[in-house]
Amino acid sequence: MPEGLDVQVAEAGARQLDPGGIYQLVYPLEDIFSNPDVSEVRRQLENYVRASCVPLDHFGGQCRMGNTISDGVVDSFLNVFGVSHLKVADLSIAPILPDGNTSIPAQMIGLNAVRFIKSGF
């Protein structure tokens, strides 16, 4: 527990912000491990994990680039097939997702979108 933290004040503030009660799950107190009831410790830790874990997946490929509408959603200039003046400029256009971090490929798609728009494509 951080020094100087008034647990009652913090809990009251959390109750005000979240009347539904997620404040009870988010952070188990450190004395949880001194509890002799192992099933209660596991229950509290399980609640903590369920409340605090989020997926870290990199999504992409939903609007694949293709040569025709049957191959994908956008053409090589990021124009959506069948819709005027609409481009998709994120990793969803990638027909194959990169094996590594998706940040640089997503930035390159955005930079190319700017280039296409400036060029009138």
Side-chain angles (χ1 to χ4, degrees):
M1 196 54 70
E3 191 174 324
L5 177 67
D6 186 338
V7 176
Q8 284 79 23
V9 171
E11 189 174 309
R15 276 196 184 113
Q16 246 181 341
L17 292 173
D18 182 22
I22 193 73
Y23 62 88
Q24 296 173 342
L25 307 177
V26 175
Y27 187 75
L29 300 175
E30 288 182 23
D31 64 355
I32 183 177
F33 298 107
S34 62
N35 187 342
D37 184 358
V38 175
S39 63
E40 177 62 19
V41 170
R42 287 186 178 174
R43 187 190 67 74
Q44 288 184 24
L45 289 175
E46 182 181 324
N47 288 342
Y48 169 71
V49 169
R50 287 181 191 277
S52 61
C53 286
V54 295
L56 297 174
D57 299 328
H58 297 286
F59 298 104
Q62 297 89 352
C63 297
R64 291 177 56 146
M65 185 185 304
N67 293 326
T68 65
I69 196 165
S70 60
D71 295 335
V73 176
V74 297
D75 64 14
S76 59
F77 294 105
L78 309 179
N79 299 306
V80 176
F81 290 116
V83 181
S84 300
H85 309 294
L86 179 63
K87 292 186 183 297
V88 175
D90 61 17
L91 199 62
S92 66
I93 64 112
I96 299 171
L97 293 179
D99 289 335
N101 193 309
T102 56
S103 177
I104 298 299
Q107 290 175 33
M108 294 307 298
I109 292 167
L111 290 171
N112 278 319
V114 170
R115 196 178 88 217
F116 296 153
I117 292 167
K118 283 184 172 181
S119 299
F121 288 110

